[in-house]
Amino acid sequence: MHIDNSQPLEYSTQQNQLNILGFWIFLGAEIMLFATLFTAYFTLEGRTGSGPAPADIFEITPVLIETLVLLTSSFTIGLGIHAMRLGRKNAMITFFAITLLLGLCFLGVEIYEFMHYYHIGATYQTSAFTAALLTTLGTHGGHVTLGLFWGTFIILQVKKRGLTPETANKSFIFSLYWHFLDVVWIFIFSFIYLKGMM
């Protein structure tokens, strides 16, 4: 395996570069998935039937907490990758762990939000609007949950094997995934919540 020391560790082998390219292609497919969910939501958001409308169920406080937590986690994962490039394994692990804790906090608020919707009668069966909303939020939440498990395995691998071209590559790809979830959330915050509260 030829290692190119002029490149950052995560790009230092040809296989690593192919892995990153492949992951960008995967993210293209993920963009199509969320684009489909957003299209369905915008088509159905006015179809509330006898159920509540967006302005009736959206609460700004939990949404602001979720947004602040996820934006902060995007910053900490960036610090983790920076520490990795400096060869500071312990700092990297710490920033990754903080990122995952923030992700867990985000999920906790989202679960509270889903319970709130359920208690006020906004369920999958209530209307086309609530079904589209819960599907979109649930898909994003499912991705965050997957990210928590994935990030935990990354931390365990780096602890065990150290910073190698392979572990750096996996860590960097995970960071791309996490930033992607953050970007999707900004769209959810802006075009579902804020638009729905107006």
Side-chain angles (χ1 to χ4, degrees):
M1 178 175 68
H2 172 68
I3 296 176
D4 181 357
N5 292 318
S6 68
Q7 295 278 5
L9 198 57
E10 68 270 19
Y11 282 99
S12 61
T13 70
Q14 192 172 15
Q15 184 59 54
N16 280 10
Q17 292 170 20
L18 287 172
N19 290 349
I20 291 168
L21 174 63
F23 194 74
W24 277 111
I25 293 167
F26 167 76
L27 284 182
E30 287 284 283
I31 289 167
M32 295 310 296
L33 166 66
F34 281 101
T36 304
L37 290 170
F38 280 121
T39 302
Y41 176 81
F42 295 136
T43 304
L44 301 172
E45 72 175 320
R47 300 187 185 182
T48 55
S50 57
D56 300 326
I57 65 169
F58 291 157
E59 293 181 337
I60 191 66
T61 306
V63 177
L64 283 177
I65 293 169
E66 286 169 317
T67 305
L68 184 65
V69 163
L70 215 54
L71 285 173
T72 306
S73 76
S74 211
F75 178 65
T76 56
I77 196 84
L79 291 175
I81 293 300
H82 182 66
M84 177 188 84
R85 286 176 174 167
L86 295 174
R88 298 174 61 191
K89 183 179 100 169
N90 289 339
M92 178 212 165
I93 288 171
T94 301
F95 283 124
F96 268 57
I98 292 168
T99 300
L100 298 184
L101 284 172
L102 289 167
L104 199 59
C105 177
F106 171 87
L107 274 184
V109 177
E110 189 158 77
I111 289 165
Y112 157 80
E113 202 179 2
F114 268 64
M115 288 167 65
H116 165 70
Y117 293 156
Y118 177 78
H119 285 302
I120 61 173
T123 67
Y124 276 100
Q125 290 80 28
T126 306
S127 67
F129 153 65
T130 55
L133 171 71
L134 296 174
T135 301
T136 305
L137 295 180
T139 302
H140 180 267
H143 278 69
V144 174
T145 305
L146 172 68
L148 294 180
F149 286 104
W150 184 4
T152 302
F153 287 125
I154 296 278
I155 289 172
L156 293 173
Q157 279 198 350
V158 171
K159 275 184 94 126
K160 184 179 175 185
R161 299 180 191 167
L163 291 174
T164 67
E166 186 184 20
T167 58
N169 189 241
K170 290 178 181 179
S171 302
F172 180 71
I173 286 171
F174 172 72
S175 77
L176 293 179
Y177 176 80
W178 199 263
H179 286 308
F180 168 74
L181 295 183
D182 197 37
V183 171
V184 171
W185 181 258
I186 290 166
F187 275 89
I188 290 173
F189 174 72
S190 304
F191 298 109
I192 292 182
Y193 287 113
L194 289 185
K195 183 171 171 281
M197 288 175 194
M198 290 175 183

